[in-house]
Amino acid sequence: MTRRYSRIVGTGSFLPPRRVTNTELAAQLAQRGIETSDEWIVERTGIHARHFAAPEVSSSDLGAEAARRALQAAGVPLQEIDLIIVATSTPDMIFPSTAAILQRKLGIAGCPAFDVQAVCCGFIHALAVADAMIQADAASKALVIGAEVFSRILDFNDRTTCVLFGDGAGAVVLTASGQPGILATDLHADGRLTDILYVPGHVAGGKALGDPFLRMEGRAVFRHAVTLLGETARAVLDKAGKTEADIDWLVPHQANIRIMLGSAKKLRLPLEKVIVTVDEHGNTSAASVPLALDCGVRAGQIRPGQLLLLEAVGGGLTWGAALLTF
């Protein structure tokens, strides 16, 4: 019996039109009595700008546009999609899922559509789920999307977090194939670390209760991130019988240039083999890996036949990696 694999056959992304530079953001924060600067932000994060969505724009809006672009790139008719998975921590509403809302906006119905919540590692988790469903013959053509409007949960009185994040979406079309595409995935979580990156607010009794803003212990996240990303990268390479020397491109979660450089160093990869978009996009959480992937493809950096390592770490803590032949 021929083994069934899944392959990425198209990528797409979308950013809200409003680009917010560090200088513009610093001016806005100064009005609140908070001091920061372009130099301060760049030195610590590598971020120069990010995009913020307009108030009326939701994660499903961004995700739907990224999905359309991925479908166009893949040459796959929308009606052939039989699975939609959206990774997001900023859903349109409590329910229905952002995936169901996005499905409606795309104009299709009937196929399973659901969300995955693993924060910044959400896309890796969603990709692993879609890959498993395709291998199990439960789907043949899937849309896997990461979409976020993180600007809605930022505390603009906290310069250590509000300068880091942006809004955006990325998507891939995954299809069944007789040829290997996704070679291996590796997923993890450690709930003991929930209190170093979280948004504790919730809805009850008709009210929003608790703190509705993102809270982070930056040093703790940094310390764990570099170690965990190195471990999951090694694990996924071992699963696929590959080594770091086989990697053509590292497509990491775009959290912080220091974390990304630390991850590359552990894999003995030069910066020239790392797809970097954090400078222009900031941290777009679950959208960052597919967004960076699409940017690499459209820039002509990522080409068919190359070996890609995708990795991410996020609140939970969650972390994981995917190794694939593009």
Side-chain angles (χ1 to χ4, degrees):
M1 182 178 178
T2 303
R3 182 175 173 183
R4 184 181 173 96
Y5 299 94
S6 72
R7 294 186 66 90
I8 293 176
V9 293
T11 66
S13 61
F14 183 70
L15 292 162
R18 184 189 171 199
R19 179 176 179 268
V20 181
T21 65
N22 289 344
T23 301
E24 180 183 348
L25 183 58
Q28 294 173 6
L29 295 179
Q31 295 176 0
R32 296 170 174 257
I34 301 167
E35 292 186 10
T36 191
S37 66
D38 175 62
E39 294 77 15
W40 187 88
I41 298 169
V42 172
E43 180 184 353
R44 288 161 177 77
T45 69
I47 298 168
H48 292 266
R50 74 287 293 147
H51 291 249
F52 286 166
E56 69 277 8
V57 174
S58 65
S59 289
S60 68
D61 290 322
L62 301 179
E65 184 56 36
R68 293 184 188 102
R69 295 181 181 189
L71 286 163
Q72 183 179 30
V76 171
L78 180 61
Q79 292 71 24
E80 293 185 8
I81 294 297
D82 55 9
L83 173 64
I84 299 173
I85 307 177
V86 174
T88 186
S89 296
T90 52
D92 289 18
M93 56 184 72
I94 294 175
F95 70 83
S97 68
T98 300
I101 297 169
L102 185 148
Q103 183 189 48
R104 177 181 179 178
K105 289 178 178 178
L106 291 177
I108 57 175
C111 71
F114 55 88
D115 292 354
V116 167
Q117 218 289 39
V119 200
C120 301
C121 197
F123 178 78
I124 303 291
H125 280 64
L127 190 68
V129 172
D131 172 54
M133 291 182 69
I134 287 175
Q135 287 193 55
D137 202 15
S140 293
K141 291 185 174 68
L143 271 172
V144 184
I145 301 156
E148 303 282 16
V149 283
F150 251 58
S151 59
R152 309 283 165 78
I153 57 173
L154 299 180
D155 181 356
F156 287 94
N157 291 308
D158 178 7
R159 74 169 182 169
T160 64
T161 57
C162 72
V163 302
L164 300 178
F165 296 89
D167 304 335
V172 301
V173 177
L174 204 62
T175 69
S177 173
Q179 299 297 318
I182 296 180
L183 304 179
T185 58
D186 185 64
L187 304 178
H188 300 275
D190 187 346
R192 294 172 298 178
L193 300 172
T194 56
D195 57 355
I196 65 173
L197 179 55
Y198 61 107
V199 178
H202 61 283
V203 175
K207 297 179 180 179
L209 303 180
D211 185 351
F213 296 122
L214 181 149
R215 302 301 178 194
M216 180 174 70
E217 293 184 21
R219 291 182 181 178
V221 171
F222 182 93
R223 184 176 66 253
H224 287 291
V226 173
T227 299
L228 296 175
L229 288 173
E231 291 175 356
T232 193
R234 297 283 182 195
V236 81
L237 285 166
D238 288 346
K239 288 181 180 181
K242 302 289 186 180
T243 70
E244 60 265 27
D246 298 315
I247 299 170
D248 291 298
W249 289 103
L250 174 63
V251 187
H253 169 46
Q254 308 288 312
N256 180 307
I257 192 64
R258 292 180 178 181
I259 294 175
M260 295 160 64
L261 292 175
S263 298
K265 184 177 180 180
K266 282 183 175 291
L267 293 168
R268 296 194 285 272
L269 293 176
L271 182 60
E272 291 75 24
K273 284 193 171 187
V274 182
I275 299 295
V276 178
T277 62
V278 70
D279 55 335
E280 280 295 313
H281 303 160
N283 182 346
T284 55
S285 191
S288 77
V289 169
L291 210 167
L293 175 63
D294 183 56
C295 287
V297 171
R298 292 178 188 265
Q301 296 170 285
I302 296 173
R303 299 187 300 274
Q306 292 183 326
L307 186 70
L308 313 183
L309 175 61
L310 282 53
E311 63 175 14
V313 61
L317 284 181
T318 60
W319 66 99
L323 191 71
L324 59 96
T325 301
F326 187 70

